Each structure stands twice: as C-alpha cells, then as structure tokens.
Amino acid sequence: SLSLSHCHVTHTHIIFLLHLFALGQSAEVDLEPRSLSMVVLCVVASQCALLGLVFFLTAGLRFPADDVVCAMYCSTHKSLTLGIPMLKIVFATHPALSVISVPLLVYHPVQILLGGVLAPTLRKWMLGRLTGSKEVSEI
C-alpha cells in the first residue's frame, strides 16, 4: 500500500523546487499537457524497464534475494538533491531550464511510488526465496 507520508514529502519537494525555479526564471514556460503526459509515460516506462532489467540480471546471476532487492532500489534511484544542482550548472544560461528539469521532477515521485507499490511483492518474493535457507534467521 502507498504511504501518505511519501506523497506528502514528494509534493512538498516539488512545490519547493518549482518555487525556486519560478524565482530564477523570468521567461514564460510553454509546456503542453500532451508533452507532459509523454514525459510521464516515458519516465514510468524507463523506470519499470530498469527495475525489471536489474531484477532479472541479479536474480539470474543468483545473487542472494536481499541483494537483488537492494540492487533494484539502489541502482535505479536518483535524487533531486544531486540532479537539480547539476542541471543548474550544465544549463545555467538556458532559458528553458524549468522545462529541461521536468523529467527529473517527474522521476523522483515515480521512483517513490513504484518503490512503495513493489515493496510488498518484493518482500513476499524475497521471503519465498529465503524459506528453508540459513538466511531466514537473519531477517
């Protein structure tokens, strides 16, 4: 199940970041709803593909179940705290910096939501793989 506290933190971060961009940007931003929808779709698809790729690679290489789950979360998660400053450095003079940052602003809440949705399923999978092994006593 999704936690409301995750959603609240995500909305707070987005509002804060958008406020910072509004202060730093005087140019008008023209982002059509269809374009935003495509960005969201691409971000969700890429996040799902990366999670699946990491899962199948690590499970196929017979990593321990807890390491598979750890690799899934650690390898695909990106942070706004690193991404936004990098965007501001690389595209400092670009008039559409706000538009350029949209995929990152979408990626962050998507990774939180997908992580929350996948957690119960991954827990069941991990416990199922650990059943009967010595690793169960460590959980």
Side-chain angles (χ1 to χ4, degrees), residues 119-134:
T121 305
L122 288 172
R123 184 176 190 278
K124 285 181 193 175
W125 173 82
M126 186 174 73
L127 291 175
R129 281 223 15 213
L130 296 175
T131 301
S133 71
K134 294 178 183 178

Side-chain angles (χ1 to χ4, degrees), residues 52-70:
L53 178 68
V54 171
F55 175 80
F56 288 113
L57 281 175
T58 54
L61 292 171
R62 299 185 189 272
F63 279 38
D66 51 348
D67 287 347
V68 171
V69 174
C70 181

